[in-house]
Amino acid sequence: TQDYSNLLYAATYTDADSGLPIFGVVSIRGTDTSADMYGLLQQLLEDTTDLRMVRWDDAVVGKCGLIDTGIFPGQERIAAGTCRGLQTLTQLQQSPGGENILMHLQNDLLVQDPQMPIVVTGHSLGGCQVTVLAPYLAKNLPAGTVIVPNPFAPPTAGNAAFALNAFDLAFPGANVWWNTLDLVPQAYASIGDINSLWNHYQWPDGTPGPALPADHVLSKIVNDLAAWLKIAMYHYTQPTTGNIALLGSLPAPETMQQFLQGSGSTEAWNSWPAQLLWQHMPPNYHALISNQFDAATVARYPLLVIPSC
């Protein structure tokens, strides 16, 4: 989009000898604060508009609505903000009047090899969009197309029915990567755990990690959101297929200070905002994956796509 609120790109891994693509990748960018004010607002709406849900069948055809369109139990539903992001991504074009992502996959990639795996990946807001764009592509691409979702640090897109029917059953080869100390994947399925997320762990010197102060505005928002979602019976649920919990830890003070200095942050190294930044950053995910999995284990995931540092 021109306001840089959303960005999607496609790439291929190509065999050097034959020149043929081995698999395709659809990558979705996460929240980017360098967008202009309108673009940033659009991203915030996509990230936080969870107090209204829409039917998945409506979302697939771009109907994000102004009211809750999923009022009956058992319906597959996603957050209205997530629907808004999906609507934007599916309408993006390579150039004015050019191909959208669905046309590109059909006309440029799958025509070469209908069995070519299509990896859909992204981090944070992009990871959340992976969990809806992959089912969207599955509904619109030819039957039998191999789609392999690999979301990283995704906030929760929808309810239990959506997670089961649209994702878990549809993508047995998916990998959902999340850091156990990352606040973002806790929204919104485990939002009640956010206030005490880090003080359950210890710094290397044995002292407990930071807690979100009870009187902080974010703490109050978290509590209000958790209460509303319970009242509204919005049972946000993360996919369980390929759910890979990366075991996070609290880094040494020197590591935190170096990180904060390099990122231009003035937060104290042992504060909760500093921990929010550190635990969610893509390079930390890269390190956690590298540390947690040996070569033999990584070999089990031949289509593993790690976010760029």
Side-chain angles (χ1 to χ4, degrees):
T1 52
Q2 291 186 348
D3 57 19
Y4 292 97
S5 58
N6 295 93
L7 175 68
L8 175 149
Y9 72 88
T12 53
Y13 185 89
T14 304
D15 178 70
D17 294 329
S18 67
L20 295 176
I22 304 301
F23 65 89
V25 178
V26 176
S27 185
I28 310 168
R29 194 207 63 206
T31 303
D32 181 6
T33 56
S34 66
D36 64 28
M37 186 58 68
Y38 183 77
L40 183 58
L41 177 61
Q42 296 305 307
Q43 294 176 78
L44 291 174
L45 288 173
E46 292 171 22
D47 277 326
T48 61
T49 311
D50 64 302
L51 299 184
R52 181 169 57 85
M53 301 188 88
V54 299
R55 292 194 315 145
W56 172 237
D57 288 344
D58 289 336
V60 169
V61 294
K63 295 181 179 179
C64 298
L66 295 175
I67 60 174
D68 188 330
T69 65
I71 59 176
F72 299 106
Q75 287 183 327
E76 300 168 18
R77 295 184 283 175
I78 66 171
T82 303
C83 178
R84 184 188 186 108
L86 176 65
Q87 183 182 39
T88 300
L89 291 172
T90 55
Q91 293 175 352
L92 291 178
Q93 298 174 330
Q94 291 176 314
S95 59
E99 292 183 327
N100 59 29
I101 187 59
L102 191 61
M103 296 165 61
H104 168 67
L105 295 177
Q106 287 180 314
N107 301 339
D108 301 335
L109 291 190
L110 294 175
V111 69
Q112 301 179 63
D113 178 5
Q115 295 302 309
M116 180 191 306
I118 305 297
V119 178
V120 187
T121 191
H123 174 262
S124 192
L125 171 62
C128 179
Q129 287 297 325
V130 168
T131 62
V132 292
L133 182 63
Y136 169 86
L137 294 175
K139 275 180 170 287
N140 288 282
L141 290 172
T145 300
V146 181
I147 300 174
V148 188
N150 266 269
F152 291 81
T156 318
N159 65 358
F162 171 80
L164 174 64
N165 298 320
F167 195 92
D168 288 340
L169 296 179
F171 306 111
N175 297 312
V176 180
W177 307 83
W178 62 285
N179 171 8
T180 56
L181 269 67
D182 186 355
L183 180 152
V184 174
Q186 306 290 333
Y188 293 90
S190 306
I191 193 168
D193 298 332
I194 286 177
N195 289 339
S196 58
L197 178 60
W198 299 299
N199 65 346
H200 289 226
Y201 296 79
Q202 294 182 337
W203 295 106
D205 64 2
T207 58
L212 186 60
D215 59 348
H216 192 279
V217 63
L218 180 58
S219 179
K220 295 177 180 179
I221 291 174
V222 165
N223 292 334
D224 289 346
L225 281 174
W228 168 255
L229 294 178
K230 185 175 182 179
I231 293 171
M233 293 187 291
Y234 285 173
H235 302 298
Y236 279 94
T237 305
Q238 286 279 19
T240 58
T241 296
N243 191 304
I244 303 175
L246 302 167
L247 305 179
S249 62
L250 302 183
E254 297 79 15
T255 301
M256 286 300 303
Q257 289 169 346
Q258 183 179 11
F259 159 66
L260 292 169
Q261 182 179 2
S263 62
S265 174
T266 58
E267 296 291 343
W269 70 268
N270 57 353
S271 65
W272 70 264
Q275 209 50 224
L276 169 59
L277 292 172
W278 170 266
Q279 298 295 347
H280 188 57
M281 61 186 294
N284 188 40
Y285 270 77
H286 187 281
L288 289 174
I289 293 171
S290 300
N291 293 338
Q292 190 162 328
F293 295 101
D294 57 24
T297 305
V298 171
R300 292 169 47 200
Y301 302 96
L303 295 178
L304 171 63
V305 178
I306 299 177
S308 169
C309 292

